[in-house]
Amino acid sequence: MTVQHLNQLLLACSLTLLLAVAAVRVSSRSGLPSLLVYMGIGILLGADGLGHIRFDSAELTQLIGYAALVVILAEGGLGTKWKQVRPVLPSAAVLATLGVAVSVGVTAVGAHYLVGLGWRQALIVGAVVSSTDAAAVFSVLRRVPLPARVTGTLEAESGFNDAPVVILVVAFSSTGPVEHWYVLIGEIALELAIGAAVGLAVGWLGSWGLKRVALPASGLYPIAVMAIAVTAYAAGALAHGSGFLAVYLASVLLGNAKLPHWPAIRSFAEGVGWIAQIGMFILLGLLVTPHDLVDDVLPAVVIGLALTMVARPLSVLVSLLPFRVPWREQTLMSWAGLRGAVPIILATIPMVNGVDASGRIFNIVFVLVVVYTLVQGPTLPWLARRLRLGEEQPASDLGIESAPLERLRGHLLSVAIPEGSRMHGVEVNELRLPAGSAVTLVVRDGQSFVPLPSTVLRRGDELLVVATDPVREAAERRLRAVGRGGKLAGWLHTDADGVEGV
């Protein structure tokens, strides 16, 4: 490649990226997950489109897809709120294991008897489409506040179920006979245990180190966090465990560890996650050949009906039966089983392994994801409202960024008071910050001043709070508590330290 070729490639990639960024606005207004827009761009650039780019490497697609999934899972884990997921962790874990098994079995039976696929191909299709996609679900639900149990279960399930599904697809796509079911279950359990152990260990060590070592530049913190997450994946995979589970759990720990410069970390992770999604979906659009999909549209619709109307509701019912989840929440979770990037990426595994009819499997999965995302995506908010599962919008959380002052043994907290925060109208002395911390500066309407104890805080204000090392976390908890509960946070919602009451 010459420098001229590099310049042309950079121009093409940057223009494609700008087009994809602009397409996000279209998808957000229409309520459709952005994955469809990105795949549309890929198809437009492909052999049957205007770009006439011929791309047919399933191996390269699989490698890039795996790398992108690592980044997407890391970004999802960093954004997962532990207090929201913790109460529903058992139900989400059952849904991601037992629920996957039920979904695979029912879908495979439908693919075999209704479409005529061989048992191996039917099992592969059943396993491939049994993984849900958090990005697709929440891209259409972000405008509809839901009960914490529903969002927490869907989020945790989508983070957990990638691991067992990948193991199943690899097993079904391997050469030779499929192992006995009890051997397969044992392998899945072992890989999940190893992945969980590695992910928790790497996440804990990473958060412990980042909170105690002051890096010389704030821009190094996001890089370090993403490097730790990728380390968890690689270490888990090399230890013959589930790297996907490892990266998700490590990221959840990092995301709830109150790391310094957290807003910068979160913004960086979101940006990298968007790039991973855009690149992966455009690549998938390039890989598919639209005129080859015509014969597989009807089989994909039939298998999708079996999955959406039978397999998914049955897996939700069986998995959540011990937890006494109300039927309305079960109904929404059944319909919210959106498929996204993972199934299409996993559909490249049988292609790489040379499984018979693997091209047809890929086409069926591609059509199924597109058709049922078009159907389910726009109707999810409507269904949530019909089931009366919308909740009143909670108070906006504060944006707090912590910068360590290593030589001074303290921290400088930058606090932004957003619209909807209940800190609006609270006096500085009513914050009741722990000893060793104080509000030193307020920036309002572009003007900064040193506040008095009687200064009333307003939405849109930015505060600088200095806190010593021992009380930094307590000061941050207290600020968040007042942001959620106002001046009566200690009486209504949280205690003096910002810990939620019972």
mmCIF file of all heavy atoms in Angstrom, residues 424-449:
data_model
loop_
_atom_site.group_PDB
_atom_site.id
_atom_site.type_symbol
_atom_site.label_atom_id
_atom_site.label_comp_id
_atom_site.label_asym_id
_atom_site.label_seq_id
_atom_site.Cartn_x
_atom_site.Cartn_y
_atom_site.Cartn_z
ATOM 1 N N HIS A 424 -31.014 21.211 43.326
ATOM 2 C CA HIS A 424 -31.501 22.564 43.036
ATOM 3 C C HIS A 424 -32.267 23.093 44.243
ATOM 4 O O HIS A 424 -33.205 22.460 44.742
ATOM 5 C CB HIS A 424 -32.416 22.545 41.808
ATOM 6 C CG HIS A 424 -33.052 23.861 41.512
ATOM 7 N ND1 HIS A 424 -32.376 24.899 40.908
ATOM 8 C CD2 HIS A 424 -34.318 24.318 41.748
ATOM 9 C CE1 HIS A 424 -33.189 25.928 40.784
ATOM 10 N NE2 HIS A 424 -34.376 25.607 41.276
ATOM 11 N N GLY A 425 -31.860 24.281 44.750
ATOM 12 C CA GLY A 425 -32.523 24.886 45.898
ATOM 13 C C GLY A 425 -31.914 24.522 47.236
ATOM 14 O O GLY A 425 -32.376 25.002 48.275
ATOM 15 N N VAL A 426 -30.886 23.695 47.242
ATOM 16 C CA VAL A 426 -30.228 23.295 48.492
ATOM 17 C C VAL A 426 -29.108 24.282 48.807
ATOM 18 O O VAL A 426 -28.351 24.685 47.916
ATOM 19 C CB VAL A 426 -29.654 21.862 48.365
ATOM 20 C CG1 VAL A 426 -28.852 21.485 49.604
ATOM 21 C CG2 VAL A 426 -30.786 20.872 48.135
ATOM 22 N N GLU A 427 -29.011 24.708 50.075
ATOM 23 C CA GLU A 427 -27.920 25.580 50.483
ATOM 24 C C GLU A 427 -26.648 24.756 50.690
ATOM 25 O O GLU A 427 -26.709 23.556 50.969
ATOM 26 C CB GLU A 427 -28.275 26.319 51.773
ATOM 27 C CG GLU A 427 -29.455 27.272 51.619
ATOM 28 C CD GLU A 427 -29.747 28.021 52.910
ATOM 29 O OE1 GLU A 427 -28.977 27.851 53.893
ATOM 30 O OE2 GLU A 427 -30.738 28.770 52.945
ATOM 31 N N VAL A 428 -25.498 25.410 50.580
ATOM 32 C CA VAL A 428 -24.213 24.716 50.710
ATOM 33 C C VAL A 428 -24.091 24.030 52.059
ATOM 34 O O VAL A 428 -23.641 22.879 52.162
ATOM 35 C CB VAL A 428 -23.045 25.703 50.480
ATOM 36 C CG1 VAL A 428 -21.708 25.052 50.858
ATOM 37 C CG2 VAL A 428 -23.024 26.175 49.038
ATOM 38 N N ASN A 429 -24.514 24.720 53.137
ATOM 39 C CA ASN A 429 -24.385 24.096 54.469
ATOM 40 C C ASN A 429 -25.349 22.928 54.653
ATOM 41 O O ASN A 429 -25.154 22.081 55.518
ATOM 42 C CB ASN A 429 -24.591 25.132 55.571
ATOM 43 C CG ASN A 429 -26.005 25.710 55.575
ATOM 44 O OD1 ASN A 429 -26.690 25.673 54.559
ATOM 45 N ND2 ASN A 429 -26.428 26.246 56.717
ATOM 46 N N GLU A 430 -26.421 22.847 53.804
ATOM 47 C CA GLU A 430 -27.357 21.736 53.884
ATOM 48 C C GLU A 430 -26.837 20.480 53.180
ATOM 49 O O GLU A 430 -27.445 19.415 53.299
ATOM 50 C CB GLU A 430 -28.703 22.142 53.273
ATOM 51 C CG GLU A 430 -29.430 23.204 54.087
ATOM 52 C CD GLU A 430 -30.695 23.712 53.415
ATOM 53 O OE1 GLU A 430 -30.736 23.741 52.159
ATOM 54 O OE2 GLU A 430 -31.643 24.090 54.132
ATOM 55 N N LEU A 431 -25.708 20.595 52.481
ATOM 56 C CA LEU A 431 -25.099 19.408 51.881
ATOM 57 C C LEU A 431 -24.585 18.456 52.954
ATOM 58 O O LEU A 431 -24.525 17.247 52.755
ATOM 59 C CB LEU A 431 -23.946 19.800 50.954
ATOM 60 C CG LEU A 431 -24.314 20.585 49.687
ATOM 61 C CD1 LEU A 431 -23.062 21.004 48.950
ATOM 62 C CD2 LEU A 431 -25.200 19.734 48.781
ATOM 63 N N ARG A 432 -24.176 19.003 54.099
ATOM 64 C CA ARG A 432 -23.658 18.216 55.226
ATOM 65 C C ARG A 432 -22.580 17.233 54.751
ATOM 66 O O ARG A 432 -22.659 16.021 54.977
ATOM 67 C CB ARG A 432 -24.784 17.463 55.932
ATOM 68 C CG ARG A 432 -25.856 18.376 56.510
ATOM 69 C CD ARG A 432 -26.664 17.724 57.610
ATOM 70 N NE ARG A 432 -27.233 16.454 57.229
ATOM 71 C CZ ARG A 432 -28.363 16.300 56.541
ATOM 72 N NH1 ARG A 432 -29.016 17.362 56.136
ATOM 73 N NH2 ARG A 432 -28.828 15.101 56.254
ATOM 74 N N LEU A 433 -21.565 17.826 54.105
ATOM 75 C CA LEU A 433 -20.445 17.008 53.651
ATOM 76 C C LEU A 433 -19.626 16.537 54.840
ATOM 77 O O LEU A 433 -19.556 17.217 55.875
ATOM 78 C CB LEU A 433 -19.551 17.816 52.696
ATOM 79 C CG LEU A 433 -20.192 18.244 51.372
ATOM 80 C CD1 LEU A 433 -19.236 19.142 50.593
ATOM 81 C CD2 LEU A 433 -20.564 17.026 50.546
ATOM 82 N N PRO A 434 -18.972 15.374 54.745
ATOM 83 C CA PRO A 434 -18.172 14.868 55.866
ATOM 84 C C PRO A 434 -16.979 15.782 56.142
ATOM 85 O O PRO A 434 -16.486 16.477 55.238
ATOM 86 C CB PRO A 434 -17.715 13.488 55.381
ATOM 87 C CG PRO A 434 -17.837 13.529 53.904
ATOM 88 C CD PRO A 434 -18.979 14.437 53.602
ATOM 89 N N ALA A 435 -16.521 15.776 57.375
ATOM 90 C CA ALA A 435 -15.352 16.571 57.747
ATOM 91 C C ALA A 435 -14.165 16.150 56.890
ATOM 92 O O ALA A 435 -13.908 14.971 56.685
ATOM 93 C CB ALA A 435 -15.038 16.370 59.226
ATOM 94 N N GLY A 436 -13.434 17.166 56.398
ATOM 95 C CA GLY A 436 -12.339 16.867 55.487
ATOM 96 C C GLY A 436 -12.692 17.148 54.048
ATOM 97 O O GLY A 436 -11.881 16.909 53.149
ATOM 98 N N SER A 437 -13.897 17.671 53.814
ATOM 99 C CA SER A 437 -14.320 18.030 52.458
ATOM 100 C C SER A 437 -15.106 19.332 52.512
ATOM 101 O O SER A 437 -15.750 19.633 53.527
ATOM 102 C CB SER A 437 -15.174 16.921 51.836
ATOM 103 O OG SER A 437 -16.331 16.674 52.609
ATOM 104 N N ALA A 438 -15.051 20.097 51.428
ATOM 105 C CA ALA A 438 -15.745 21.382 51.408
ATOM 106 C C ALA A 438 -15.937 21.838 49.970
ATOM 107 O O ALA A 438 -15.146 21.496 49.081
ATOM 108 C CB ALA A 438 -14.954 22.430 52.187
ATOM 109 N N VAL A 439 -17.017 22.617 49.754
ATOM 110 C CA VAL A 439 -17.251 23.260 48.456
ATOM 111 C C VAL A 439 -16.397 24.516 48.404
ATOM 112 O O VAL A 439 -16.576 25.426 49.214
ATOM 113 C CB VAL A 439 -18.734 23.607 48.261
ATOM 114 C CG1 VAL A 439 -18.947 24.278 46.902
ATOM 115 C CG2 VAL A 439 -19.598 22.368 48.364
ATOM 116 N N THR A 440 -15.455 24.581 47.464
ATOM 117 C CA THR A 440 -14.513 25.700 47.416
ATOM 118 C C THR A 440 -14.842 26.705 46.326
ATOM 119 O O THR A 440 -14.399 27.851 46.391
ATOM 120 C CB THR A 440 -13.081 25.181 47.189
ATOM 121 O OG1 THR A 440 -13.043 24.434 45.970
ATOM 122 C CG2 THR A 440 -12.657 24.277 48.339
ATOM 123 N N LEU A 441 -15.603 26.304 45.307
ATOM 124 C CA LEU A 441 -15.881 27.218 44.208
ATOM 125 C C LEU A 441 -17.187 26.807 43.538
ATOM 126 O O LEU A 441 -17.493 25.622 43.434
ATOM 127 C CB LEU A 441 -14.742 27.177 43.183
ATOM 128 C CG LEU A 441 -14.668 28.334 42.175
ATOM 129 C CD1 LEU A 441 -14.261 29.622 42.885
ATOM 130 C CD2 LEU A 441 -13.666 28.003 41.071
ATOM 131 N N VAL A 442 -17.957 27.805 43.085
ATOM 132 C CA VAL A 442 -19.177 27.584 42.307
ATOM 133 C C VAL A 442 -19.055 28.363 41.000
ATOM 134 O O VAL A 442 -18.672 29.537 41.008
ATOM 135 C CB VAL A 442 -20.432 28.033 43.080
ATOM 136 C CG1 VAL A 442 -21.668 27.915 42.194
ATOM 137 C CG2 VAL A 442 -20.615 27.218 44.343
ATOM 138 N N VAL A 443 -19.359 27.713 39.889
ATOM 139 C CA VAL A 443 -19.374 28.380 38.583
ATOM 140 C C VAL A 443 -20.826 28.438 38.120
ATOM 141 O O VAL A 443 -21.477 27.403 37.956
ATOM 142 C CB VAL A 443 -18.516 27.628 37.554
ATOM 143 C CG1 VAL A 443 -18.556 28.344 36.213
ATOM 144 C CG2 VAL A 443 -17.086 27.485 38.049
ATOM 145 N N ARG A 444 -21.342 29.661 37.926
ATOM 146 C CA ARG A 444 -22.743 29.853 37.544
ATOM 147 C C ARG A 444 -22.813 30.878 36.409
ATOM 148 O O ARG A 444 -22.314 32.003 36.565
ATOM 149 C CB ARG A 444 -23.565 30.329 38.746
ATOM 150 C CG ARG A 444 -25.038 30.594 38.452
ATOM 151 C CD ARG A 444 -25.764 31.018 39.711
ATOM 152 N NE ARG A 444 -25.759 29.951 40.710
ATOM 153 C CZ ARG A 444 -26.087 30.128 41.997
ATOM 154 N NH1 ARG A 444 -26.439 31.332 42.431
ATOM 155 N NH2 ARG A 444 -26.053 29.108 42.834
ATOM 156 N N ASP A 445 -23.423 30.486 35.305
ATOM 157 C CA ASP A 445 -23.572 31.378 34.153
ATOM 158 C C ASP A 445 -22.233 31.948 33.705
ATOM 159 O O ASP A 445 -22.124 33.137 33.347
ATOM 160 C CB ASP A 445 -24.552 32.515 34.466
ATOM 161 C CG ASP A 445 -25.937 32.010 34.794
ATOM 162 O OD1 ASP A 445 -26.319 30.973 34.219
ATOM 163 O OD2 ASP A 445 -26.627 32.639 35.624
ATOM 164 N N GLY A 446 -21.192 31.128 33.743
ATOM 165 C CA GLY A 446 -19.881 31.559 33.284
ATOM 166 C C GLY A 446 -19.090 32.348 34.298
ATOM 167 O O GLY A 446 -17.939 32.720 34.038
ATOM 168 N N GLN A 447 -19.673 32.633 35.466
ATOM 169 C CA GLN A 447 -18.987 33.387 36.515
ATOM 170 C C GLN A 447 -18.675 32.470 37.686
ATOM 171 O O GLN A 447 -19.522 31.675 38.110
ATOM 172 C CB GLN A 447 -19.856 34.562 36.990
ATOM 173 C CG GLN A 447 -20.246 35.544 35.893
ATOM 174 C CD GLN A 447 -19.044 36.288 35.338
ATOM 175 O OE1 GLN A 447 -18.131 36.654 36.075
ATOM 176 N NE2 GLN A 447 -19.047 36.527 34.026
ATOM 177 N N SER A 448 -17.461 32.578 38.228
ATOM 178 C CA SER A 448 -17.070 31.747 39.376
ATOM 179 C C SER A 448 -16.982 32.601 40.635
ATOM 180 O O SER A 448 -16.616 33.783 40.587
ATOM 181 C CB SER A 448 -15.711 31.079 39.098
ATOM 182 O OG SER A 448 -14.720 32.040 38.848
ATOM 183 N N PHE A 449 -17.343 31.998 41.762
ATOM 184 C CA PHE A 449 -17.270 32.698 43.055
ATOM 185 C C PHE A 449 -17.123 31.667 44.168
ATOM 186 O O PHE A 449 -17.473 30.497 44.018
ATOM 187 C CB PHE A 449 -18.525 33.555 43.294
ATOM 188 C CG PHE A 449 -19.818 32.788 43.306
ATOM 189 C CD1 PHE A 449 -20.340 32.281 44.497
ATOM 190 C CD2 PHE A 449 -20.520 32.578 42.128
ATOM 191 C CE1 PHE A 449 -21.541 31.584 44.511
ATOM 192 C CE2 PHE A 449 -21.716 31.875 42.131
ATOM 193 C CZ PHE A 449 -22.224 31.377 43.320
#
